[in-house]
Structure formats: structure tokens, C-alpha cells
């Protein structure tokens, strides 16, 4: 059921569920590439990425479940307060994700030049893949946030 | 003159001029701290910050002049195409600014640990101040982008 004023990607639609599913997958993959068998706690930025991904994953799963529920009962959320909370949460998490991914990308570039032995055993490519997955997660979070902001703006008028 | 549907911070208002003025000041200060007398071209992220700041400064100055002109002739821009271009430009530049600032912040942290002599002569604090100013510039760009997006959303309905 598509309503006239429904915004694709706003909370309670199947597009929103697809975005949340993508965020969960990319965040979990980024976390795994960063943390499994690697001493990620050597640098602040690596710990930062792991922390942020640990926040993004439960946030995205919760909202994905909300989307499934809303689609099944065919009743999207239209409460401006809840929407504002979701927009703000997505907004904050997407910026933190982008900041963490950029830090990792910059640091890997510096460490590759400073220390030839650092990139032994494919560590650098693992870090780079992790940063790339975090960038994808950021992009989907941003899309969710903008969709919900547009929907919120259409509700309050 | 305040119109009923005017959004504070949207293009053509005095609040928007204040935001643009702040962006210009912070970007120029960040560029100066990064580039004056420092060999910033050693690392990719440092060159990236300088490049982005070189884009943000003319963009902000142009829009600040547009705002002054709109305030003086009391006729804010209401063309959705132009607004969409401004929203997209602000959005892209603010993300690039955030990415550059985060990379610098991460790199300075790593270089401080890796090389004790690197932070001689106050270089690290200069890089950190530059990253901090870039963060402030990002915040103001984001505020401009969100205000204009809200205004655009109110126009298209």
C-alpha cells in the first residue's frame, strides 16, 4: 500500500527496510574486518570505528524491525517527535561513521609510508576494506536521515 | 522584512549571511594554519584539506555576496533548481570538509606516537587547530545545507 504523501526511504516503508538492512550488513562487515584477529586497539581511530560500529548495528537492527512491523500492519509512523529522534540519531551516527572511516583511510596512508613492515600479512588492505564498508554504511545512514527529514518536513506543514 | 514562510538560515536571509561569513572565516583560518610555513604536501590528507578549503572559501564568499544582495533588494531566491544546486553543493563540501578534518585528527594522533620529534616546534598543535577550525566550518556548512533543504521542501509543496 503506497500512500500519497509517503516518502520512499522514510521510516515504515519497504525502502527504509532495505536501507536499514544494508546499514546492518556493511557495519557488521566493517566491524569484523577491523576487529577479527587484528590488534585494533593500538590507535585511537581504530577503537573509535569499532565503538561507532557497535552503536550503528543495534540502531539499524531496531529500526529495521520497526520497518518490518510498520509494513506488516500497514501503518507508518507519523509522530513528529519520534521522526525527529530518528532523524537526529541517523544524522549523528552517519557523521560519526564518516569521521571514523576518514580517519582510518588517512592513517593507513600514513602508516604505509612510515613503516614498510606495517602492511605485512595484508593488514593494510583489511583496514582499507573496513574503511570502505564504513563509507557505504555512512552513505545509507545519510539517505535514511534525509528521507526522514523530508517526510518530517511534509508532516509539519 | 520577515516573510511567513521564510526559514532562518535559508539562502537570502541575514542568518544565512552570518553562516556564510563564519564558514569563510573558519575555512580561511584552517587553510592558513595548515599551509603557512609548514610542509603540508608530505601527506595526502594534508593536501586534501588544503584543496577542500580552497573550494569552500570561494563557494562561501559567492553565497555570502548573494545573501547580501538578496537582503538588500528584499527578494530571497525561490527557484527550486537553484536551491537544489546550493543544497547539493553545501552537502558535498560539508562532507568533504568533515572527512578531511577527521583524517588530519587521526593522523596527528598516530604521528605523535610514532615519532617523538615530529611534534617539535609546535607543528602538531598547528595541525590540530587547523582540524578544529575545519570541524567548525563543517558544522556551519551543514547548518546551511539543512536550512536550505527545509526551505526547498516547503517550496515544493
Amino acid at each position: 500500500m503506497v500512500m500519497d504523501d509517503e516518502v520512499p526511504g522514510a521510516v515504515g516503508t519497504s525502502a527504509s527496510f532495505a536501507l536499514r538492512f544494508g546499514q546492518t550488513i556493511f557495519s557488521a562487515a566493517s566491524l569484523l574486518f577491523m576487529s577479527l584477529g587484528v590488534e585494533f586497539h593500538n590507535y585511537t581511530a581504530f577503537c573509535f570505528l569499532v565503538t561507532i560500529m557497535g552503536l550503528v548495528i543495534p540502531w539499524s537492527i531496531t529500526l529495521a524491525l520497526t520497518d518490518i512491523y510498520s509494513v506488516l500492519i500497514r501503518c507508518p509512523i507519523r509522530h513528529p517527535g519520534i521522526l525527529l529522534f530518528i532523524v537526529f540519531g541517523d544524522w549523528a551516527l552517519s557523521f560519526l561513521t564518516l569521521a571514523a572511516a576518514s580517519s582510518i583511510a588517512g592513517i593507513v596512508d600514513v602508516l604505509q609510508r612510515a613503516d614498510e613492515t606495517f602492511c605485512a600479512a595484508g593488514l593494510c588492505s583489511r583496514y582499507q576494506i573496513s574503511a570502505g564498508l564504513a563509507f557505504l554504511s555512512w552513505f545509507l545512514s545519510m539517505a535514511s536521515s534525509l528521507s526522514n527529514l523530508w517526510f518530517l518536513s511534509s508532516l509539519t506543514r
Side-chain angles (χ1 to χ4, degrees), chain A:
Chain A
M1 191 178 67
V2 176
M3 291 176 210
D4 288 342
D5 59 347
E6 200 168 69
V7 177
V11 68
T13 61
S14 44
S16 173
F17 173 70
L19 286 175
R20 300 294 173 192
F21 185 72
Q23 286 162 30
T24 311
I25 296 294
F26 289 134
S27 309
S30 173
L31 184 62
L32 288 179
F33 268 98
M34 179 55 72
S35 56
L36 272 194
V38 180
E39 290 183 358
F40 69 86
H41 43 78
N42 285 346
Y43 297 104
T44 313
F46 293 0
C47 297
F48 182 55
L49 184 77
V50 169
T51 311
I52 299 301
M53 288 303 147
L55 289 172
V56 169
I57 294 170
W59 171 265
S60 297
I61 289 177
T62 309
L63 288 170
L65 294 177
T66 312
D67 287 335
I68 294 178
Y69 182 72
S70 294
V71 168
L72 286 182
I73 65 167
R74 295 185 177 178
C75 175
I77 294 172
R78 291 171 171 282
H79 191 281
I82 297 174
L83 273 174
L84 192 64
F85 176 74
I86 294 174
V87 167
F88 188 77
D90 271 329
W91 189 79
L93 284 176
S94 73
F95 284 128
L96 291 171
T97 309
L98 177 65
S102 313
S103 301
I104 304 274
I107 286 172
V108 171
D109 174 64
V110 166
L111 289 178
Q112 271 180 328
R113 296 182 193 206
D115 186 0
E116 293 291 325
T117 60
F118 177 78
C119 287
L123 264 190
C124 282
S125 54
R126 281 187 64 168
Y127 290 144
Q128 280 167 340
I129 292 171
S130 177
L133 290 166
F135 273 119
L136 291 173
S137 169
W138 157 70
F139 192 76
L140 296 182
S141 292
M142 202 66 240
S144 286
S145 181
L146 288 180
S147 302
N148 283 322
L149 185 68
W150 194 269
F151 185 47
L152 177 64
S153 151
S154 76
L155 277 188
T156 54
R157 271 166 215 289

